[in-house]
Amino acid sequence: KAGVTQTPRYLIKTRGQQVTLSCSPISGHRSVSWYQQTPGQGLQFLFEYFSETQRNKGNFPGRFSGRQFSNSRSEMNVSTLELGDSALYLCASSLFGQGRQETQYFGPGTRLLVL
Amino acid sequence: EDKVVQSPLSLVVHEGDTVTLNCSYEVTNFRSLLWYKQEKKAPTFLFMLTSSGIEKKSGRLSSILDKKELFSILNITATQTGDSAVYLCAVDLLYNQGGKLIFGQGTELSVKP
C-alpha cells in the first residue's frame, strides 16, 4: 500500500504571497491532519479533516486554511505569508480520525521557506 | 493548557549503551500516547499506548505508560548508530468528536560508534 504523499516537497516563497500544499492519504484513510514543525515550537497541530469537513482546528490564525476532497485528498493554504511561516508542513492520515485510538501515518512533508 | 514534556532534550551515547527517554503529560481527555522516530524526514510510528503497566516491545525498543503518574518511557537497549534520531512523544486527545495530537519537544539521540 502506498504511503502518505505530499507535494511539493520543497517550496520557496516571498512574504505576502500565498501557497497551497497537497496531501494524499493512504488508500482507504478518511482522516487527514496537518501539522507545522519548526525548531522553536516543535510539531504543532493545525487542523484535521474527515469526510470533507474540518473537524478540529489548532491555534493558528485564519491565514491558515484547508479543505478535503471527496477522495480524501487534502490541501492546505496559507495566505499573506510571513517569515515565521517557514517550516516543515506535515500531513498525517488515519482511517477514521484521532478519536479512535488509531495510529496516524505521516507523509514526508513540504519544506516551505519564506524570504 | 494541555502540554507534553520530554526529557532529556538531547542525549549522546555510545553503541551498545541502553537509553531511557521520558515523556510526561498534563492533558484533558486523554485517549492514547504515541511514540515516533524522526530522522530528517517524516515521523515514523513506533508505539501506541493506551493502558497503564502494559509494556509494548519491538526488537530492542520497548515502552510503557503510567496513567496514574502521567508519564511514559521509551527504552532502547544495545543502541546502534542507526538509532540516532529525534524521538517524539505525542498524546492523542479526544477533541470535538475527533482528536488532535499534542507533541513534546522531542529528544535528540545521537549514538556514536
Side-chain angles (χ1 to χ4, degrees):
Chain A
K1 215 182 232 187
V4 179
T5 58
Q6 290 186 248
T7 57
R9 295 293 309 279
Y10 302 93
L11 206 50
I12 300 175
K13 291 284 188 178
T14 56
R15 277 184 301 175
Q17 287 187 308
Q18 68 94 25
V19 66
T20 299
L21 313 181
S22 181
C23 171
S24 292
I26 291 171
S27 178
H29 284 194
R30 293 167 62 191
S31 170
V32 174
S33 297
W34 287 90
Y35 297 85
Q36 181 196 66
Q37 187 173 31
T38 59
Q41 300 297 320
L43 260 162
Q44 292 186 288
F45 172 78
L46 279 157
F47 25 65
E48 181 211 2
Y49 284 87
F50 178 78
S51 291
E52 302 177 64
T53 301
Q54 186 182 85
R55 188 159 62 178
N56 287 297
K57 192 176 190 312
N59 298 323
F60 279 81
R63 301 185 296 107
F64 292 81
S65 62
R67 59 178 175 167
Q68 187 180 34
F69 302 94
S70 58
N71 61 357
S72 294
R73 188 178 70 86
S74 176
E75 287 182 347
M76 190 192 93
N77 185 276
V78 188
S79 62
T80 320
L81 283 165
E82 300 176 1
L83 295 179
D85 296 333
S86 295
L88 178 66
Y89 289 89
L90 292 161
C91 89
S93 78
S94 60
L95 273 170
F96 297 109
Q98 303 169 52
R100 289 222 187 178
Q101 293 184 348
E102 43 178 25
T103 305
Q104 288 192 47
Y105 296 92
F106 283 84
T110 294
R111 189 164 292 282
L112 171 65
L113 177 61
V114 181
L115 301 175
Chain B
E1 184 186 340
D2 298 316
K3 63 179 180 180
V4 178
V5 177
Q6 291 185 246
S7 64
L9 293 182
S10 65
L11 195 53
V12 180
V13 300
H14 288 94
E15 275 192 313
D17 288 349
T18 293
V19 298
T20 298
L21 310 183
N22 303 290
C23 175
S24 63
Y25 60 92
E26 289 181 37
V27 302
T28 54
N29 299 319
F30 173 95
R31 294 287 289 188
S32 64
L33 185 144
L34 301 98
W35 285 96
Y36 289 88
K37 177 182 181 183
Q38 187 173 28
E39 302 169 88
K40 297 190 187 300
K41 49 185 180 181
T44 53
F45 171 77
L46 293 174
F47 298 110
M48 181 169 73
L49 304 157
T50 57
S51 302
S52 274
I54 299 174
E55 185 184 50
K56 292 278 183 94
K57 200 169 170 62
S58 176
R60 296 176 293 103
L61 277 66
S62 64
S63 184
I64 197 161
L65 173 67
D66 186 328
K67 290 171 75 173
K68 182 180 177 185
E69 299 298 330
L70 309 182
F71 77 90
S72 173
I73 59 172
L74 175 68
N75 276 321
I76 309 175
T77 59
T79 51
Q80 302 171 356
T81 54
D83 295 327
S84 296
V86 174
Y87 290 83
L88 296 163
C89 169
V91 173
D92 179 11
L93 308 180
L94 177 62
Y95 186 72
N96 286 345
Q97 300 181 346
K100 62 179 181 180
L101 291 181
I102 304 295
F103 281 85
Q105 320 94 298
T107 293
E108 185 172 12
L109 174 65
S110 178
V111 182
K112 303 295 186 188

